[in-house]
Amino acid sequence: MAKFVLAGRADCPFYAKAEVLADYLQKNLPDFQIFKITQHPHVWEEWLKDLCEKNKWSHEDSPIIWRELLDRGGKGLLLGGYNEFLEHAQLYYGVTSSMTTELMKVIAQENLGSHIEKELEKEALKSLIDPLQVWITSASAPACYNLIPILTSGEVFGMDTEISITLFDNKQAEEHLKILETETWDLVSPFLRSVSVCTRVEEAFRQAHVIIILDDPTDREVYTLEDCLRSRVPLCRLYGYLIEKNAHDSVRVLVGGKTFVNLKAALLMRYAPSIARNVIAVALGVEGEAKAALARKLKTTPSCIKDVIIWGNISGNSYVDLRKAKVYRYESAIWGPPHFSRPVLSLIFDSEWVKEDFVATLKQLSTTGKQFGGILAAHSIATTLKYWYHGSPPEEIVSLGVLSEGQFGIPEGIVFSMPVKFENGTWVVLTDLEDIEISEEIMTRMTSDLIQEKLVALGDLINFQPYQSENGSAETDEKTTLPTTNDNQENQRVSDGSEGKTGEQ
């Protein structure tokens, strides 16, 4: 068995002539085999040099032909170029080539075009199997520790997607990040291609497909709400610049946690305008707290409660809307199939509980932040990501902080939590929902605080002024314990669907 290797520059006419001759020999001689290697003209010289150095051959032109001797324990026998191959064919097989020069050139151009097309196909296939680049900021935060096992489980991005995780934080956190890196490898996840640590600011978000913004630590002590608001700007400005410079064009950015979530999302949109549509604020944590409180009252599980809507400032002045809330698989005199549901408000006969105890519970959670720890933050971020990539459950309402375009009478240009659904890799605001109108006073209260937060942060307003109700009383409580739990002024209301029956938190 004669085994030959034919290698050449894709646009070389003599490579084309040798290729036609080799094809003829392989087709007509049962003991003749040929293997072809086509190289792009830009890489041919370097490739040939490396090949000759490896095999201790001397050859400078295209094509190069050698005979494989692996079945005899050899590395290969250099035959030479086209002329030597033609002589070999004439001497051993009595075959010659009568190809014209013009035909040689035509075939050479066809070879080049075919080679480029194959390289493009390889690149396309490579892009399909390249891992998804996931960056986590403030990776020393507790939420990151709980988030990584969920991301590497395959449940978030899909069972056919590999991911590479980069843990990004300041230099002081490097030792902690190294430990976290080792533990992540120890998970032995089949969906994890790599995990690395980054503490160099200029390298942040390189080719990132997903960026998760966790609560950032505050290095200096702040004493006023205004100082705390302004302290968010430098980091968001830096992140916005780095995202524009280094991240993938279609990068998706999630802002999670419990501290100025809406404001940070708005600032990132301002400083990374090209991907503003792909910046969202995660609201599922607050939604989860509300569902859990309702489940305890109804003596059911939180997963059975759906369609609780969180309006407004996720980490501050928000409005919990129960008018669309439903409970499934509820044990009562009325029972139905799995898809059967009942309105939550129809099962809570104690309206005072909704207006007082429920509100007080949510206020305590949001004010102290005790239950909005690493587990809840991680789960809400991971679930939002899963919906973004694979769609939210059909017919289910999801709360999400997005840039307002005037929906529901919300002023344009602020990040506001509102009802959405995820489908086809994006989110859609559910503007067609019925009976979810919000009173002008409540809307003004929520939007006033969000607008002021942004103005104070950017230096366009000196002092934050809590919204004043019609009777002249302030509707928000400015907190001075900053920013250990929830830096924002806290104030929530709950809608039970009846005019005037809103509980203030």
Side-chain angles (χ1 to χ4, degrees), residues 225-226 448-449 452 456 461 463-468 476 478:
L225 175 62
E226 288 80 3
S448 172
D449 287 353
Q452 285 194 78
V456 171
L461 187 65
N463 296 314
F464 184 94
Q465 297 293 331
Y467 173 72
Q468 301 287 326
T476 59
E478 181 173 326

Side-chain angles (χ1 to χ4, degrees), residues 135 166-171 197-208 211 235 237-247:
W135 283 71
T166 303
L167 307 172
F168 179 54
D169 212 321
N170 55 45
K171 189 68 176 178
V197 170
C198 178
T199 58
R200 294 174 60 88
V201 171
E202 63 272 16
E203 296 177 0
F205 312 137
R206 295 277 186 196
Q207 293 302 307
I211 299 174
L235 191 60
R237 183 192 295 118
L238 176 62
Y239 282 178
Y241 166 75
L242 292 169
I243 290 170
E244 289 278 340
K245 178 183 177 184
N246 296 336

Side-chain angles (χ1 to χ4, degrees), residues 282-296:
V282 178
L284 290 186
V286 181
E287 190 178 304
E289 289 176 339
K291 290 178 178 178
L294 292 169
R296 287 191 293 270

Side-chain angles (χ1 to χ4, degrees), residues 397-434:
I397 299 172
V398 178
S399 301
L400 185 71
V402 299
L403 186 65
S404 169
E405 297 177 352
Q407 307 97 324
F408 308 109
I410 303 167
E412 295 183 18
I414 61 173
V415 174
F416 200 91
S417 180
M418 60 184 78
V420 306
K421 66 177 178 180
F422 286 92
E423 62 181 8
N424 302 321
T426 188
W427 47 266
V428 179
V429 178
L430 297 176
T431 54
D432 56 348
L433 290 177
E434 298 179 354

Side-chain angles (χ1 to χ4, degrees), residues 116-130:
I116 294 173
E117 186 176 339
K118 288 180 180 178
E119 288 298 311
L120 291 174
E121 289 177 358
K122 287 181 182 179
E123 288 297 320
L125 290 173
K126 184 180 178 182
S127 68
L128 294 177
I129 62 174
D130 276 352

